[in-house]
Amino acid sequence: MTLLKIARMGHPVLLRRADDVPDPTAPEIGRLIDDMIETMEDARGAGLAAPQVHVSQRLFVYRVPAERSAGEDDPPREASVLINPVLRPVGDEMVLRPEGCLSIPGLRGMVPRHVRVAYSGVDRAGQPVQGVATGFLANVLQHEYDHLEGILYPMRMKDLGQMGFDEEIGRYGVRG
């Protein structure tokens, strides 16, 4: 497996809608998924979308580390993939969630996200995957899905005063 170079904010690949994956079972997609998981884990991320590694295709990998699990409805999850995903909100309830991004290193911000989302797509074997996510998983799925739409988390923020460098937020917190 190979560690992939992560595109940073400002690169055009992050600002366009990614293309559908024509054959989720293709060997090159399998290699890409393996390399993306290795890259995500090496960078200590919770998710990584293909455009973040300079591949404009509609897939992302994600996980829920035990320390980020929000309990019974949001259990820890090993690294998984969602290919050609569809997300839709379940209800209108929103919450501000702290987010960072491997493509925007060193910064965090408070991003409005849906509390619950329904998701569907296919896995690496081309088998249907679907469910309803809450907690940290709901946040990760929305964040990674946004990458497939050419959206970075600051574009979702309502108040850029709630964004800052990791060190400063750790020291002073986020303005409420």
Side-chain angles (χ1 to χ4, degrees):
M1 288 186 277
T2 304
L3 290 178
L4 303 171
K5 183 172 173 63
I6 296 174
R8 294 191 312 171
M9 185 169 64
H11 194 290
V13 73
L14 297 173
L15 297 174
R16 70 179 288 270
R17 185 180 191 281
D19 300 323
D20 287 340
V21 177
D23 180 5
T25 64
E28 63 271 14
I29 296 299
R31 283 190 298 277
L32 175 63
I33 292 166
D34 291 340
D35 291 346
M36 286 176 62
I37 289 171
E38 183 176 11
T39 302
M40 172 184 69
E41 290 175 347
D42 181 73
R44 297 187 178 155
L48 185 66
Q52 289 181 275
V53 293
H54 305 272
V55 177
S56 189
Q57 295 213 348
R58 296 186 72 75
L59 73 90
F60 59 77
V61 297
Y62 63 95
R63 63 185 176 143
V64 177
E67 64 273 11
R68 294 209 173 152
S69 165
E72 189 176 302
D73 290 338
D74 184 34
R77 292 178 186 246
E78 294 297 318
S80 300
V81 64
L82 198 55
I83 302 170
N84 295 330
V86 175
L87 257 64
R88 67 173 178 73
V90 176
D92 296 326
E93 189 178 1
M94 302 286 287
V95 64
L96 278 178
R97 299 244 190 224
E99 292 190 19
C101 181
L102 298 176
S103 292
I104 311 173
L107 292 170
R108 298 210 168 277
M110 297 300 288
V111 183
R113 295 291 186 190
H114 293 279
V115 171
R116 294 171 54 91
V117 294
Y119 62 93
S120 63
V122 297
D123 64 16
R124 69 188 308 151
Q127 296 301 307
V129 174
Q130 64 181 18
V132 175
T134 62
F136 185 75
L137 178 59
N139 192 64
V140 171
L141 294 178
Q142 290 171 82
H143 179 105
E144 299 310 327
Y145 185 82
D146 275 354
H147 278 298
L148 305 182
E149 295 295 316
I151 298 169
L152 298 172
Y153 80 81
M155 298 159 80
R156 293 264 186 220
M157 293 180 66
K158 305 288 186 217
D159 179 359
L160 292 179
Q162 292 184 318
M163 183 178 197
F165 289 99
D166 291 333
E167 274 185 30
E168 302 307 314
I169 288 175
R171 185 176 298 138
Y172 304 111
V174 176
R175 180 172 69 110

